[in-house]
Amino acid sequence: MTLTALIKLFFLKEDWVQFQFDGMPMAFRGTLTVVSADNLASWSIGGFKALASAFRKCQYCMAVDEDMQTKFTENAFQLRTQDLYDTHCDGLGGPLQDHIATTYGIVCNSVLNSCRYFHVTDGLVPDIMHDILEGSLELCMRHLLFHFIREEKMLSLELLNTRIASFKYGPSEVKNKPTALASTSVQVDGHLKQSASQMWCLGRFLPLLIGQNIPEGDLFWENFLMLLSIMDYVFAPVTTADKADYVAMLVEDFLTEFRDLYPERRLIPKMHYMVHLSSWMKRCGPLSRTWCMRYEAKHSYFKHLAHVLGNFKNTPKTLAEHHQLYMCYNMADATTYLRSSPTYPTGNQVEVQQLDYKEVVLRAAPELDDDSTVHRVRSSVINGTTYTRGQVIIYNIEDDTPIFGTITEFIITPHLECLFIISPLITISFNHHFHAYEAFHDNQTLVYRYEQLRDYHPLLCRKPFGNRIFVTLKYH
C-alpha cells in the first residue's frame, strides 16, 4: 500500500481505498488506532511541548509535580480528554498562547487529530521501554544499590561487579549482559549507564546476584521486588483485565512505599506515568507489543554504521544508501528472507532404535519407527529463537504454576521437524525473596514438539549458591 493511499484513508476520511494485488483490484478499509513513540516523539507528534518544562507534566492527565509526589492512582487525576484538548487548542494563536503552552503543555493541534476515529488524548500509547527500563527501574535500582552498598554496607561494589561478570547468562541473555558499574554510578545523583536491554537483564537477575546478602523481609528489597512484579505483568505478551487491575494495585503500593523509603528523593515523571499503565493495558492489550525496543534495535544499526563509516558530510544520504544495499542483499534470496524455516547444525545420524529413550520418542512421534533415521543435534533455531542444550523451557502449566524442563538435546526427524528432548524439573514453589521458581531435577526423559510448548522463550536454570536450582521468568 502506498503512502498516498494511507493519506486518503486516514486523513481524507475516505471509506476505503482500492489497490492492485497480483493484478486483482482489492478494497482496503482501516483507520489509525495507536501511535507508538518514545516520550519526546510522542509529545512532538501530539502537539505538546517538552512536558518536563511545563506546569502539567503528563500527556495523559493534568497532573502537576506536587500531585505526582503524593497521588498514585489514575482516578486521583483529571484525565486529558478530547474536549479539554480542543478547548486548549482554541486558545492558541491568541493572547493566551504562552499561558496555555506553559501551563497545559500544548503548543499546537496535532495533525493526527484529523484522522477519522483517532485523537492524541487516547491514541499515544505509553512506551514501557523508556518509562520503566530507562526510568523507574534505573532510579529504583540505583537508590537500592546506594542504600545496600554505601549506607548499610551489606556488600561491596567490587563484589557486585565480580558477580555480574561471572554470572552465566546463557546464549539467550549474553548479548544483554550488563557492564560493570562505576563507583560514580552508584550515587544518589548518578546513573547506572546501561542500555534498556541491559537494565532489564540486570533487574531480573539482581535477586540471584545479591539476594543471599540481603536479609529476608528488608523493606527496601521488598519495594524493589514489587517493581519486578509490575514488570512481569506489564512486559507479558498476553494480559487480561484482572491482571491490569492487579498492576494498578501494585503500582500504587510501589510508589507509596518508594516515597516513604526515600523521602529525600522526588519521584520523576516517568514514575508517575506508571499509574496510567493499567488503563492502557485494558485499552490496547499487552504494552510489550507497542514499545520502542524493536525501533531502538533498528536504530542501533544506523548508529553503529555512522560510527564505522565516519562520514558526516551528508549522513542521512550515506546511511540511506548503505541501508538500501543491505536490504537489497537480504531480499535477493526470496527463499530465506523473512522466512521462519527452522535451521539446525549438522548432527549425528542414528536410527531410532539406537536411542536410549526410543519408547518416549515413538510415543511422541508415531510417524517414526525403529528403523527411522534421525539426527541428534545440540541446538536449533526456530522462528528466530535459538535453543541450546542446558536451557530451560516451560512445557506445561498446572494450577497456574509453570512446569519447567531442561533441554538435553534435539531430535530432527526425516521431515525436518524438531523434537525437544527434555529432562523435567519438579517445581517446588516461587521463592519471593529471589523472585524465581525453585526446583529440582527429575530423572525422566520427555519429548515435546515445538508447538506443544507453553512458552517459546528459553530461560536460565542457575545455582547461584549451594545446590538450590532457581529459574527466573521473563514475565508472568
Side-chain angles (χ1 to χ4, degrees), residues 31 53 65 92 126 212 264 276 340 372:
T31 187
S53 61
D65 185 65
L92 298 176
Q212 66 268 39
E264 302 300 323
H276 301 291
S340 59
S372 297

Short mmCIF file of all heavy atoms in Angstrom, two decimals, residues 31 53 65 92 126 212 264 276 340 372:
data_model
loop_
_atom_site.label_atom_id
_atom_site.label_comp_id
_atom_site.label_asym_id
_atom_site.label_seq_id
_atom_site.Cartn_x
_atom_site.Cartn_y
_atom_site.Cartn_z
N THR A 31 -8.22 2.30 9.80
CA THR A 31 -8.06 3.61 10.42
C THR A 31 -6.85 3.56 11.35
O THR A 31 -6.32 2.48 11.64
CB THR A 31 -9.31 4.00 11.22
OG1 THR A 31 -9.17 5.35 11.68
CG2 THR A 31 -9.50 3.10 12.43
N SER A 53 9.20 20.66 31.07
CA SER A 53 9.30 22.09 31.41
C SER A 53 7.93 22.74 31.54
O SER A 53 7.86 23.96 31.75
CB SER A 53 10.11 22.81 30.33
OG SER A 53 9.48 22.70 29.06
N ASP A 65 3.51 18.65 39.41
CA ASP A 65 4.61 17.94 40.06
C ASP A 65 4.28 17.58 41.50
O ASP A 65 4.60 16.47 41.96
CB ASP A 65 5.87 18.80 40.00
CG ASP A 65 7.08 18.05 40.54
OD1 ASP A 65 7.47 17.05 39.93
OD2 ASP A 65 7.62 18.46 41.59
N LEU A 92 -5.01 28.84 21.36
CA LEU A 92 -3.71 29.06 20.70
C LEU A 92 -3.86 30.10 19.60
O LEU A 92 -4.88 30.17 18.92
CB LEU A 92 -3.18 27.74 20.13
CG LEU A 92 -2.91 26.62 21.14
CD1 LEU A 92 -2.49 25.36 20.42
CD2 LEU A 92 -1.84 27.06 22.14
N PRO A 126 1.71 4.51 25.90
CA PRO A 126 2.94 4.66 26.68
C PRO A 126 4.04 3.73 26.16
O PRO A 126 3.76 2.65 25.63
CB PRO A 126 2.53 4.27 28.10
CG PRO A 126 1.05 4.35 28.12
CD PRO A 126 0.59 4.05 26.74
N GLN A 212 21.37 -13.37 48.41
CA GLN A 212 21.87 -14.05 49.61
C GLN A 212 22.50 -13.09 50.60
O GLN A 212 22.71 -13.44 51.77
CB GLN A 212 22.87 -15.14 49.23
CG GLN A 212 24.16 -14.64 48.60
CD GLN A 212 24.09 -14.58 47.10
OE1 GLN A 212 23.05 -14.21 46.54
NE2 GLN A 212 25.17 -14.94 46.44
N GLU A 264 13.87 11.77 50.73
CA GLU A 264 14.63 12.90 50.18
C GLU A 264 14.63 12.91 48.65
O GLU A 264 15.11 13.87 48.05
CB GLU A 264 16.09 12.83 50.68
CG GLU A 264 16.23 12.84 52.19
CD GLU A 264 15.64 14.11 52.79
OE1 GLU A 264 15.77 15.17 52.15
OE2 GLU A 264 15.05 14.03 53.88
N HIS A 276 -0.82 5.13 34.80
CA HIS A 276 -1.71 5.02 33.65
C HIS A 276 -1.56 3.69 32.91
O HIS A 276 -2.31 3.44 31.95
CB HIS A 276 -1.43 6.16 32.67
CG HIS A 276 -1.62 7.53 33.25
ND1 HIS A 276 -2.86 8.03 33.61
CD2 HIS A 276 -0.72 8.52 33.56
CE1 HIS A 276 -2.73 9.26 34.09
NE2 HIS A 276 -1.43 9.57 34.08
N SER A 340 10.50 -18.38 8.20
CA SER A 340 10.64 -18.94 9.55
C SER A 340 11.04 -20.41 9.52
O SER A 340 10.76 -21.14 10.46
CB SER A 340 9.32 -18.78 10.32
OG SER A 340 8.26 -19.44 9.64
N SER A 372 13.60 -45.79 11.54
CA SER A 372 13.66 -44.41 11.04
C SER A 372 15.00 -43.79 11.38
O SER A 372 15.55 -43.99 12.47
CB SER A 372 12.53 -43.56 11.64
OG SER A 372 11.27 -44.06 11.25
#
